[in-house]
Amino acid sequence: MKHCFILLFLLTSLSLTAQELNITVQIVAQNIASTDPTLFQEMEQNVEEFLNGTNWTNDDYEDFEKIEGSLKITISDEISTTAFVGDFFIQSLRPIYNSSQKTPLVNYVDQGVKFEYRERQPIRRSEDNYFDNLSSVLTFYALTLIAMDYDSFSPRGGDEYWQKANNLINSIPEVIKAADDKWTNGIGDQNRFWLIENMLNPRVKPFRQAFYEYHRLSLDAMTLDMDKSKAIMTSAITAIGQVEKDLPNNMVVQMFTDSKHQEIIEIYKDATRGEQEKINAIMTSIDPSRADEYNEIR
């Protein structure tokens, strides 16, 4: 009887530690001829099981609370039958409270990722130890999705996971960083290194506060008090515009506009003339490549 009780307790405990992610994975390798296609099928399943089957936090998640999203890996080059180059397209969504709608949090492409994958190769959580580049890249983006989600629900709520992502970068061997300089500050200002540098940079604190206000205080309350929620959103976008002025070309503001531009356009089509002009000016300033799109809100 005692053993039955212990078994029941263990089963109950396992059921309470649901994983946080619900990510659909697709691997596209249409132009790769030498490698057996079954390898990519296995990798697709392995990646999905890794992302969705790992407990990334100590929090309990119900199924409806899981972070939804997708990862599309397009293999662009075959270095060998076990070494590849691919573009990683990562997206995630967050439910909007008091509605049936969802809002995009992450919409990002990491281009030209070099990695190796062999048959039955394990993918391992790599926060503090380096195993291989694929494991590190996938762990990095799992932590990013969770950190962004937590930041949207509480002020700087993702700190723990941004720090874990920072620890991951610090654990990458120098020889690996030389082969994949997106782990370093060596190229541009739009890569994995700069994402973490920005998120932990004190000068970006106003962005993270505004990110929380945009979601929790504005979007989540939009059906309850439209005017107040829109005023909060306008204030949040204004703060994000100021962060761009203080730290030009930073990565986090670019990620924000990549995921939010269409949503902002739709929301402000019904705003006051003054709000429309203000938001058009801010968004055109921080996201000039979409200036013509933002003109739709005027």
Side-chain angles (χ1 to χ4, degrees), residues 42-54:
E42 177 197 290
M43 182 169 66
E44 182 176 276
Q45 180 178 356
N46 202 359
V47 170
E48 189 164 291
E49 288 177 352
F50 170 71
L51 293 173
N52 298 335
T54 301

Side-chain angles (χ1 to χ4, degrees), residues 121-141:
Q121 175 179 318
I123 301 175
R124 292 174 279 193
R125 185 170 176 170
S126 308
E127 293 171 17
D128 299 304
N129 297 291
Y130 178 83
F131 300 104
D132 60 82
N133 208 44
L134 180 61
S135 293
S136 289
V137 170
L138 292 173
T139 299
F140 177 85
Y141 284 115

Side-chain angles (χ1 to χ4, degrees), residues 150-214:
Y150 278 47
D151 270 357
S152 78
F153 282 105
S154 62
R156 298 185 63 189
D159 269 351
E160 176 182 352
Y161 304 100
W162 292 125
Q163 189 57 58
K164 286 183 177 182
N166 188 56
N167 294 342
L168 183 155
I169 289 178
N170 291 334
S171 75
I172 304 290
E174 291 302 318
V175 65
I176 302 302
K177 289 180 178 178
D180 182 354
D181 53 8
K182 293 182 182 180
W183 293 121
T184 75
N185 62 353
I187 60 166
D189 50 14
Q190 304 285 316
N191 63 22
R192 293 171 227 129
F193 173 90
W194 284 110
L195 172 58
I196 303 307
E197 192 283 336
N198 285 179
M199 285 299 187
L200 296 177
N201 189 328
R203 296 169 68 185
V204 180
K205 282 184 179 179
F207 169 87
R208 294 182 62 192
Q209 177 65 30
F211 191 77
Y212 158 72
E213 292 175 1
Y214 179 101

Side-chain angles (χ1 to χ4, degrees), residues 211-227:
F211 191 77
Y212 158 72
E213 292 175 1
Y214 179 101
H215 292 93
R216 191 71 187 98
L217 304 185
S218 180
L219 275 184
D220 284 345
M222 198 71 74
T223 59
L224 304 177
D225 190 332
M226 176 71 74
D227 292 340

Side-chain angles (χ1 to χ4, degrees), residues 30 49 76 81-82 85 124 135 154 170 218 221 224 243 282 295:
Q30 294 176 338
E49 288 177 352
S76 57
T81 55
T82 60
V85 180
R124 292 174 279 193
S135 293
S154 62
N170 291 334
S218 180
L224 304 177
V243 170
I282 294 171
N295 285 334

Side-chain angles (χ1 to χ4, degrees), residues 250-295:
N250 70 81
M251 185 172 178
V252 297
V253 170
Q254 185 60 58
M255 287 184 67
F256 176 81
T257 58
D258 285 346
S259 63
K260 296 295 185 182
H261 65 279
Q262 193 58 53
E263 178 176 82
I264 290 171
I265 291 170
E266 291 302 317
I267 288 174
Y268 281 91
K269 282 181 178 179
D270 296 326
T272 65
R273 183 65 175 173
E275 286 177 322
Q276 289 179 334
E277 291 178 350
K278 183 172 186 177
I279 294 303
N280 177 273
I282 294 171
M283 296 305 297
T284 299
S285 174
I286 66 178
D287 191 19
S289 66
R290 298 189 178 97
D292 289 344
E293 295 181 50
Y294 293 121
N295 285 334

